[in-house]
Amino acid sequence: MASSLTKGSPAPEKTSPAGGKTLLGHPIGLAPLFLTEMWERFSYYGMRALLVVYLIAGGPDAKPGSQGGGLHMPETSALAIYSVYVAMVYLLTMPGGWIGDRVWGPRKTVAIAAGVIMVGHLVLAIPGQASFFAGLAIVAVGSGLLKANISTMVGHLYDGPQDPRRDGGFTIFYIGINLGSFFSPLVIGTIGQKFNWHLGFAIAAAGMGLGLICFLFGTRWMSPQSSVVPTPLTVAERNTWLKKGLIWLAIAAVFYGAIVASGQWNLKWALYPITIAGLIIPVTVLLRIKRDKDLSDTEQTKVSGYIWFFVAAAVFWMIFDQAGSTMSTFAEKQTSDTLFGLSFPSTWFQSVNPAWVMALAPVIASVWMALSRRNREPSTTVKFAMAMFFIGASFAIFVVPMLMTQDGGKASPMWLLSIYMIQTIGELCLSPVGLSVTTKLAPQKYASQMLGVWFLAVTAGDCFTGLLSLNDVKLNSPVMVGIEAVMAVVAGIAVWVYRKRIVALMGDVR
Ligand code: PHE
């Protein structure tokens, strides 16, 4: 997808490494992958749209008159659970990529992942707190297994990184992501929020089921390379992993067994360690890569350059991912649910970002193209600085309707629509070039793991907000939103001011 938003796709060739059949100039295997990811995102974002509203439903912080039957949680707990869940999904893309590389191969991993996600949503469809947490964990594991491997499979359809259709292929794939993300809150959100939460979750499961069927039907068109395990785990390695896994499992079982037995157990015992792990793991992974003795000097310098992008991205995702938490509770409780005389459920706001992505991606792409014709296309560093500015500006604006509704009034939906628009412009400045710069700055040794490293920036950002919520900091207060806006703008200014230094670290990468 990377430079797909910056370049046009040249005339397609009529061949494909995956069997030769093409559709609209692209290998036909792109169709089932497109549909699988579309349905996966449909289930993911549909459930995510319901998540916080469901957690607080029936409790002290629920909107008066809204559907009960939720988990009655206070808002800070709901926001903490949301952050931890989303962080886990992206943290697990690393082991997911590893399993694709070393155990099952991408194709088998995606098929299993889709099944796991479907089961997770079905478990969520069973009422009750235990099934809720079990379902959430299962969905996170499945999504982690799927996300990196399906992108790898899209890459396999093309003749290596030089294939002129590759960027176009990733753009089409990104449309699939956003189509699924757009429709799901409208369907799952409406049914869950207006009729029955669990029916909403069941529809998410059905969506993933359809995705799995598309995937299984389409396997004949996928690249044979997708079934290969590139670097299989040796028996000795497998035994070491099993041993390590069992030891950790035993330690956790004893530790939590003792806590439960002593009557001390509450949710924080689970959320704190996960959140802290979600902050420590990204730092450790980056430091380990940077300190690896096998890297050449240039590779090491490039990793130092990458750390700048990584930290900026973490701050970006920290704000961006609050779409389904802070912004979702604001939509539910402090925003009017009618626009031009039409009334709608608050979960529909979750469709706004993907709608803006589809509307604005071609606009941004043509702006970059027009600028590049004049040799003035901003560099990756400048695009990152712009993204930070936009995401900061979005939260600075968000402070206004928050202050306006503090006495119980309702803000116009236009506020959220505009805030999402500004965030999406930021996303389109950062997300595509971020993926691209990640792969370009990756040391050879870590090439296949770098996609997972990029997603760790999302984990770090989400765990930061998770930790705040766990400490009872009210994320949905104007003060916090204002502080985060300042953080993002300061990070943007830092990237801008030090852009020459970052560019020097990047070597030949632009
Ligand atoms: N919305 C896109 C997706 O779900 C991009 C994105 C990735 C957004 C990761 C946030 C975090 O794939």
Side-chain angles (χ1 to χ4, degrees), residues 276-295:
I276 291 166
L279 287 168
I280 292 177
I281 291 172
V283 176
T284 324
V285 167
L286 280 177
L287 286 182
R288 264 180 84 166
I289 297 182
K290 188 166 156 42
R291 296 216 181 120
D292 191 328
K293 296 268 178 304
D294 293 347
L295 304 193

Side-chain angles (χ1 to χ4, degrees), residues 329-349:
T329 52
F330 184 82
E332 163 84 343
K333 295 196 290 187
Q334 284 151 273
T335 303
S336 157
D337 60 2
T338 41
L339 186 66
F340 307 126
L342 282 172
S343 94
F344 55 89
S346 69
T347 37
W348 282 22
F349 279 106

Side-chain angles (χ1 to χ4, degrees), residues 76-117:
T76 39
S77 311
L79 297 185
I81 291 170
Y82 169 91
S83 294
V84 170
Y85 163 67
V86 182
M88 276 313 100
V89 167
Y90 293 105
L91 181 66
L92 291 169
T93 55
M94 264 202 103
W98 184 86
I99 288 179
D101 257 3
R102 311 219 50 195
V103 187
W104 288 329
R107 179 163 137 186
K108 191 167 164 194
T109 312
V110 170
I112 293 174
V116 171
I117 294 173

Side-chain angles (χ1 to χ4, degrees), residues 229-240:
V229 184
T231 42
L233 204 62
T234 62
V235 179
E237 280 176 315
R238 197 192 58 198
N239 290 345
T240 324

